[in-house]
Amino acid sequence: MDRMFATKSKVSKVKFCRSEPLEESDRISSLPDAAIHNIFSFLFSNDVVKTSMLAKRWRYLWASAPDIFLDDEAIPTSDRESGFVRFVDGLHRHHKAPEIKRYYLRLQQPNNSTFAESWVQFALARCVKRLFVNVVSHVPFRMPSCNSVRRMKLKLRGGDLVLPAAGGFTMLKYLALSEFRLAGNSVLDVNSDYCPLLRSFSLKNCSGLIGLRVDCPDLEDLCIRQCLDLDHLIVSGANIQTLSVEKSFTDRRPTSLVKITAPNLQTFTWLDRIIDNFSAGEFRSLRVAHVYLEIYYYEDTNNAQRFFQYLASAENLQLQMRCFWVCLKSYSVLPCFSS
Amino acid sequence: MSTESKEILVGESSQAKPEKKTIVLMASDGDEFVVDVDDITNQSEMIRNLISDMGGTDGLQVPLLNVTAPVLAKLLELFNVSNKNDDDEEVTQKVKELMEAELNMMIDVLGAANYIEATSFFDLSCKVLADKFKGMSVEEVREFLNIECDFTEEELQQIHAENAWAFD
């Protein structure tokens, strides 16, 4: 009986009476459907549909594949617009999987973006779990409420994003919004009714977002970057561990307000202006604070001084300031850091 | 018992008694492979669950009915590469080399990884294979994977017509 040791360091050699598989035989066709579907999950859908021509075993395999990858730049069609639209419509019409695991839609031709909503509706009707939409658009994109999506990434260049006013996303755990514009001067209220299970939330490069209130019990990570119209930020969450705010409060407005309640915050990044009306609860678990302040006005030095009080328990503080010399001259801005 | 000469303990087969816990994997042809518990549970969810269901590893023998000895040996060899490296670069390279040299063995290894639920290694292998036939024509894929076309010319035309939206 052959014995073999497979350890971290070595596999001892064993002599096998190897029954050489016939080199010409087809092994892949004997894999279970789920394994072939997993191979499909690394291909764009046009390559997947093509496999229907391989042999009888493959005839309908593509139609039950749980992943759909559509990209009007990567999928060659007779022309990027009507040919691509025909492809996607045909794919949806013939696709038989009752549930879609991942639906990836990237549309770089603005004319295709008019279809984005109805195509996403198709995915939602199939209880999609992971939804990725990346669209260059000249029309608004209305994202409906849904109860199946766990992970959602929306990137919309051009058109407005309209999020559902009520309902929300009951199963959503991971939400990333980028390069989008919210219609009107919007206030986004992401609370435990809207996204009760949300754990990670990021907003990047957005305009039209005036107010953001985030209050989700399971939220661990929140990242806000270049939300240029932001004026109100109210964050509250017992499980928040990382919070990052960058380049959002760039204009000095008297109405600006920031309120943070995150008792278990561990990593805090603030690369932004310190606004007059800034308040936070105690950061008892703070380990790392990364702060870059730009000090333009005399009052800013007062604000900075108050701001640093919140960071007093940080074990590791990275601090960069512009106009640092002003502060040194006028005030002793830095408090004592205990740790 | 002295534990000074670990190298020998690990390398010498029968009376070896390494400090680390081991279990036995049995290939379909009856060959036995003694594997380090940490190494194998690091990869295989099925074996991880099995050990937790059995409440321990003592004398555990796992028959792998779908996996022949050469395939299991290759799979364990690749697991070692994977366990030794923090990133996937090295093991991806090895899987690629295997695909180029012995495609059938590579696909059997991929199937075995699926069978024992070695998810991350399985995904990595699927990606290597998918990357290879990305953008290939139907004929090229058939040739590459040794798939015999069992459609008649008529059937092929029919599929083509049905899926004209995809093949225009």
Side-chain angles (χ1 to χ4, degrees):
Chain A
M1 193 179 290
D2 287 328
R3 281 201 159 245
M4 172 164 176
F5 277 92
T7 70
K8 264 193 171 135
S9 56
K10 61 176 73 177
V11 176
S12 60
K13 292 269 189 291
V14 185
K15 288 196 184 84
F16 297 112
C17 300
R18 192 160 157 192
S19 50
E20 196 69 41
L22 288 171
E23 267 314 305
E24 292 307 311
S25 74
D26 162 15
R27 313 297 280 220
I28 195 163
S29 296
S30 52
L31 289 174
D33 289 4
I36 295 177
H37 283 157
N38 204 61
I39 298 170
F40 286 169
S41 77
F42 295 97
L43 295 168
F44 283 112
S45 291
N46 60 321
D47 278 335
V48 176
V49 178
K50 248 190 283 180
T51 62
S52 61
M53 304 272 283
L54 289 173
K56 285 177 181 157
R57 163 89 179 93
W58 297 75
R59 177 76 175 85
Y60 297 106
L61 266 180
W62 74 269
S64 54
D67 302 88
I68 294 182
F69 281 81
L70 301 166
D71 183 329
D72 64 0
E73 279 193 333
I75 295 183
T77 44
S78 55
D79 70 89
R80 288 236 166 105
E81 287 171 3
S82 63
F84 183 77
V85 172
R86 200 160 53 244
F87 175 81
V88 178
D89 284 343
L91 182 102
H92 286 174
R93 215 167 40 247
H94 290 83
H95 204 272
K96 300 286 181 262
E99 288 192 2
I100 293 175
K101 209 166 78 189
R102 267 189 303 181
Y103 189 85
Y104 175 98
L105 181 65
R106 181 171 179 270
L107 303 174
Q108 298 303 293
Q109 306 299 319
N111 286 340
N112 289 339
S113 69
T114 49
F115 299 94
E117 265 181 36
S118 66
W119 290 344
V120 166
Q121 283 288 4
F122 165 84
L124 295 179
R126 302 282 175 98
C127 304
V128 61
K129 296 220 165 52
R130 295 174 171 214
L131 179 67
F132 302 91
V133 179
N134 176 350
V135 175
V136 175
S137 168
H138 49 60
V139 291
F141 177 82
R142 283 176 294 269
M143 180 68 213
S145 297
C146 76
N147 299 329
S148 64
V149 179
R150 266 76 166 163
R151 236 178 145 83
M152 181 159 78
K153 239 174 152 167
L154 304 178
K155 184 169 171 178
L156 302 159
R157 260 170 295 160
D160 286 349
L161 170 65
V162 184
L163 289 167
F169 307 93
T170 50
M171 297 303 282
L172 195 63
K173 290 186 174 164
Y174 174 96
L175 174 62
L177 305 173
S178 63
E179 297 193 33
F180 64 104
R181 192 173 64 213
L182 288 176
N185 288 336
S186 307
V187 174
L188 199 54
D189 209 341
V190 180
N191 56 31
S192 55
D193 290 330
Y194 201 74
C195 297
L197 303 179
L198 196 64
R199 291 169 72 152
S200 168
F201 184 19
S202 87
L203 295 120
K204 289 176 187 167
N205 299 62
C206 105
S207 57
L209 178 66
I210 302 293
L212 176 65
R213 277 195 297 270
V214 184
D215 183 2
C216 297
D218 293 341
L219 191 71
E220 290 170 5
D221 303 311
L222 176 62
C223 174
I224 298 158
R225 184 183 297 162
Q226 291 188 308
C227 295
L228 298 175
D229 297 318
L230 198 60
D231 193 46
H232 276 56
L233 173 65
I234 300 172
V235 177
S236 168
N239 278 315
I240 299 175
Q241 286 162 24
T242 35
L243 171 62
S244 167
V245 179
E246 290 178 42
K247 296 179 184 155
S248 294
F249 294 94
T250 43
D251 296 330
R252 186 183 173 81
R253 296 193 202 96
T255 51
S256 291
L257 170 93
V258 173
K259 197 173 172 196
I260 301 170
T261 315
N264 291 308
L265 190 67
Q266 292 181 12
T267 307
F268 183 40
T269 305
W270 186 276
L271 311 180
D272 217 318
R273 267 175 38 78
I274 300 295
I275 60 158
D276 299 351
N277 199 349
F278 181 100
S279 66
E282 211 182 327
F283 298 142
R284 286 189 299 265
S285 317
L286 193 64
R287 290 177 48 232
V288 180
H290 182 197
V291 177
Y292 175 85
L293 297 181
E294 295 195 354
I295 302 213
Y296 299 114
Y297 304 97
Y298 191 70
E299 304 85 70
D300 286 343
T301 55
N302 271 330
N303 292 336
Q305 202 171 20
R306 282 195 300 114
F307 182 77
F308 286 128
Q309 304 295 340
Y310 295 114
L311 311 181
S313 62
E315 288 168 23
N316 181 343
L317 178 73
Q318 295 169 41
L319 173 65
Q320 288 169 290
M321 284 170 95
R322 269 170 80 178
C323 305
F324 196 57
W325 59 275
V326 175
C327 318
L328 286 181
K329 254 190 192 170
S330 338
Y331 288 92
S332 151
V333 175
L334 295 169
C336 291
F337 286 96
S338 54
S339 351
Chain B
M1 183 189 246
S2 160
T3 54
E4 276 169 16
S5 45
K6 234 189 242 174
E7 272 298 308
I8 296 170
L9 285 176
V10 174
E12 297 277 299
S13 58
S14 56
Q15 68 280 66
K17 195 170 183 301
E19 293 165 21
K20 290 187 166 183
K21 285 186 175 174
T22 57
I23 59 167
V24 175
L25 304 184
M26 284 168 68
S28 60
D29 24 18
D31 286 354
E32 293 186 359
F33 294 71
V34 180
V35 294
D36 183 281
V37 169
D38 290 341
D39 284 355
I40 195 70
T41 52
N42 194 17
Q43 299 283 349
S44 163
E45 196 178 327
M46 178 188 97
I47 292 170
R48 204 160 52 232
N49 290 338
L50 189 69
I51 290 174
S52 102
D53 290 349
M54 303 294 283
T57 57
D58 283 349
L60 191 60
Q61 293 203 335
V62 185
L64 302 176
L65 303 177
N66 286 346
V67 186
T68 63
V71 172
L72 187 51
K74 183 54 88 177
L75 182 67
L76 294 174
E77 183 189 318
L78 291 166
F79 280 174
N80 277 342
V81 176
S82 166
N83 283 334
K84 262 191 283 180
N85 292 281
D86 287 337
D87 60 36
D88 286 340
E89 213 172 297
E90 181 81 22
V91 68
T92 303
Q93 189 55 34
K94 291 275 185 242
V95 172
K96 264 186 203 159
E97 283 165 16
L98 181 62
M99 177 180 71
E100 300 297 343
E102 292 177 87
L103 178 70
N104 286 340
M105 172 61 93
M106 187 268 188
I107 292 171
D108 288 348
V109 166
L110 178 151
N114 180 45
Y115 177 62
I116 65 164
E117 299 171 40
T119 316
S120 63
F121 179 82
F122 172 59
D123 277 348
L124 179 151
S125 306
C126 286
K127 186 173 187 316
V128 167
L129 197 57
D131 283 348
K132 179 73 182 180
F133 64 83
K134 205 171 263 182
M136 277 187 180
S137 70
V138 175
E139 292 72 26
E140 285 166 334
V141 175
R142 234 185 246 137
E143 193 185 341
F144 170 62
L145 295 172
N146 299 314
I147 295 172
E148 195 189 334
C149 179
D150 51 3
F151 289 125
T152 63
E153 196 54 43
E154 271 179 348
E155 286 170 321
L156 279 178
Q157 277 172 13
Q158 192 197 332
I159 299 168
H160 202 284
E162 255 172 53
N163 295 345
W165 49 271
F167 302 121
D168 69 344

